[in-house]
Amino acid sequence: MTTTQRLLLVEDEPTLRELLSASLRLAGFQVTPAETGAQALQAVSEERPDLIVLDVMLPDINGFEVARLLRERHPGPGSSGHPPVLFLTARDAAEDRISGLRAGGDDYVTKPFNLEELVLRIQAVLRRTSGRQPDRRLLVDDLALDADSHQVTRGGHAVQLSPTEFSLLRVLMENAGQVLSRHQLLDRVWHYDFDGDDSIVASYISYLRRKIDTAGPKLIHTVRGTGYVLRKPSP
């Protein structure tokens, strides 16, 4: 792939940082390396990267906190807001995955990993968070999604979503009333070019519900053994 997309690589282990930097440059990316959370926060303001590859275990502040600070300092997704984040970590516990999602992460890769797979995951995040917005406003009950402004409201109140959460909600709203399987959502939202782990779909559905369904009647439903559907509440 030939691209001028800019990556910020935040990894405190020098050998791994150099290896990843070289590999990602060979894949066609522009790479800015950083080794601490403080350097990462500064680099985001100065370099405006298209995506951050962010190690969780850093010497000053952990990657989850870096992602939270980014959302505070650069609210809203897109070029004027925080870039998408792909976490790198040796920790694969369920609570760490949830922490990553709550911090605004868009994907989560555990060490050790295959370099080719990492490049594919980066490409997948970039595809779903850049320029794939529909040309209309979506409305289901009191839930509204505006693609042009990249805003979501429920009952007139703004709902803050990460780029991946926005993409997932958009697919659900475009297919309101239709049951979508995990595999379909993995394909339409994550665009994996390999056999991805569909458990990430359940994690994002759970977190999206916390932001969407606590402000009114339940809209996102699980169809046991089939998938998920977004529909208006029953009268």
Side-chain angles (χ1 to χ4, degrees):
M1 185 182 83
T2 301
T3 180
T4 57
Q5 289 169 310
R6 303 179 304 277
L7 303 184
L8 173 61
L9 171 64
V10 190
E11 168 60 59
D12 66 317
E13 204 284 306
T15 301
L16 181 56
R17 185 173 64 250
E18 292 175 9
L19 172 63
L20 289 177
S21 295
S23 298
L24 293 172
R25 289 187 180 110
L26 283 174
F29 296 103
Q30 295 180 19
V31 181
T32 298
E35 57 183 291
T36 67
Q39 289 179 6
L41 293 170
Q42 182 177 354
V44 169
S45 298
E46 295 176 352
E47 303 291 336
R48 307 302 296 177
D50 296 300
L51 181 142
I52 306 173
V53 180
L54 180 59
D55 188 24
V56 171
M57 302 302 292
L58 297 172
D60 50 353
I61 54 179
N62 69 45
F64 297 148
E65 183 62 21
V66 171
R68 291 190 186 95
L69 289 171
L70 284 174
R71 296 184 73 176
E72 291 177 4
R73 298 181 185 184
H74 306 275
S79 59
S80 63
H82 60 86
V85 175
L86 184 149
F87 284 114
L88 284 183
T89 180
R91 296 155 46 174
D92 192 27
E95 58 266 27
D96 292 324
R97 289 180 178 271
I98 296 300
S99 295
L101 299 180
R102 288 179 175 172
D106 295 276
D107 207 343
Y108 192 106
V109 178
T110 55
K111 303 174 183 177
F113 50 82
N114 179 282
L115 286 172
E116 181 179 1
E117 178 180 334
L118 176 63
V119 170
L120 289 173
R121 300 279 280 267
I122 290 171
Q123 292 172 348
V125 173
L126 288 169
R127 281 198 300 271
R128 70 175 181 262
T129 58
S130 59
R132 294 190 61 258
Q133 300 168 357
D135 59 359
R136 65 185 187 277
R137 187 173 186 264
L138 300 174
L139 182 65
V140 178
D141 197 52
D142 62 345
L143 176 66
L145 183 149
D146 191 310
D148 293 329
S149 63
H150 216 285
Q151 292 182 338
V152 173
T153 60
R154 178 87 198 263
H157 299 286
V159 180
Q160 297 298 322
L161 301 180
S162 73
T164 298
E165 291 165 352
F166 185 92
S167 295
L168 175 58
L169 180 62
R170 176 176 57 80
V171 170
L172 290 170
M173 293 183 71
E174 286 179 336
N175 297 275
Q178 176 183 343
V179 179
L180 299 173
S181 68
R182 285 190 182 188
H183 179 77
Q184 287 175 310
L185 290 171
L186 192 67
D187 178 63
R188 298 184 192 186
V189 178
W190 280 265
H191 303 280
Y192 283 165
D193 296 323
F194 57 95
D195 187 17
D197 178 7
D198 66 4
S199 65
I200 194 172
V201 177
S203 296
Y204 268 93
I205 286 287
S206 175
Y207 196 50
L208 190 58
R209 279 172 167 155
R210 298 185 187 187
K211 296 185 175 183
I212 297 298
D213 281 344
T214 57
K218 184 177 178 180
L219 297 178
I220 302 173
H221 302 268
T222 299
V223 179
R224 189 177 300 276
T226 304
Y228 305 96
V229 58
L230 186 145
R231 57 174 175 253
K232 293 182 179 181
S234 300

